[in-house]
Amino acid sequence: MSFRIHAAGSNGFRYERDNCPDDDVFEAAAVISALSASGPSVGGAVEGAADYLQPSVGVLDGVSSVATTTMTELLRSTVNFLAIGRNTSRGWISVGSRTESAVWADSTGFARYEFYDDDDPGAEFIRTILPSLRESGFNNYGTFRALAMAISLFDSHRPSSGPPTLLIQLSK
């Protein structure tokens, strides 16, 4: 399942993107891998389905972990680069997230990070937004990638004067 990101910030910044990749990329790869490993017989198909339903730790799990770690570090670095600019002490980044469900109540989350004199603003930003991302099902590499892209584009857009103010909304 993909998601949508919308960001709006100071000095007229706007960014939207639909169909951002989610963790489902690795689930689809696991299904394809299990089916391609199974033979053309009924027994092979059963073994492939069993491997998908009860997978052992494998290559795809490792790839997913590496992707999540890499995108988390990219997000951290992007926020740190934004914090290097002048007048960030009164700036903030807010992240709202919502997962719609036809069966039960929607899952939502909201967090706001305010720039202070943190030693590592990127790490503090991630610590601030992580609980709300978990609540709404957005704690994955695709979310970190999309957030890093939006913040990087915002940093390129905004002039060096004035505090950065950025509102990001995620929905699926």
Side-chain angles (χ1 to χ4, degrees):
M1 172 186 255
S2 62
F3 65 94
R4 179 178 189 269
I5 183 170
H6 175 80
S10 53
N11 299 319
F13 175 76
R14 299 282 183 271
Y15 172 74
E16 286 186 59
R17 183 166 181 202
D18 291 327
N19 299 322
C20 296
D22 210 344
D23 255 357
D24 291 347
V25 170
F26 295 111
E27 289 177 23
V31 170
I32 292 168
S33 175
L35 291 177
S36 66
S38 66
S41 66
V42 173
V46 170
E47 287 175 13
D51 185 47
Y52 173 69
L53 296 173
Q54 297 285 332
S56 58
V57 175
V59 174
L60 290 174
D61 294 329
V63 171
S64 176
S65 295
V66 168
T68 300
T69 303
T70 303
M71 292 304 135
T72 303
E73 183 58 33
L74 177 66
L75 177 59
R76 178 177 167 240
S77 298
T78 303
V79 173
N80 284 338
F81 285 132
L82 177 63
I84 291 172
R86 292 183 282 154
N87 296 327
T88 57
S89 63
R90 295 184 330 260
W92 51 266
I93 302 173
S94 294
V95 178
S97 53
R98 187 176 102 214
T99 301
E100 295 180 2
S101 175
V103 180
W104 51 83
D106 294 351
S107 300
T108 60
F110 181 81
R112 178 177 162 143
Y113 171 76
E114 296 184 11
F115 288 95
Y116 291 111
D117 292 327
D118 295 323
D119 290 334
D120 189 351
E124 290 300 319
F125 172 75
I126 292 170
R127 278 188 210 107
T128 301
I129 67 168
L130 204 53
S132 69
L133 293 179
R134 282 187 190 127
E135 289 174 17
S136 57
F138 279 95
N139 183 22
N140 61 63
Y141 90 98
T143 302
F144 299 138
R145 177 185 170 274
L147 289 171
M149 187 179 299
I151 294 169
S152 178
L153 290 171
F154 173 68
D155 191 23
S156 299
H157 168 82
R158 81 177 187 95
S160 59
S161 63
T165 57
L166 181 62
L167 172 64
I168 301 174
Q169 297 173 328
L170 308 166
S171 59
K172 58 177 163 179

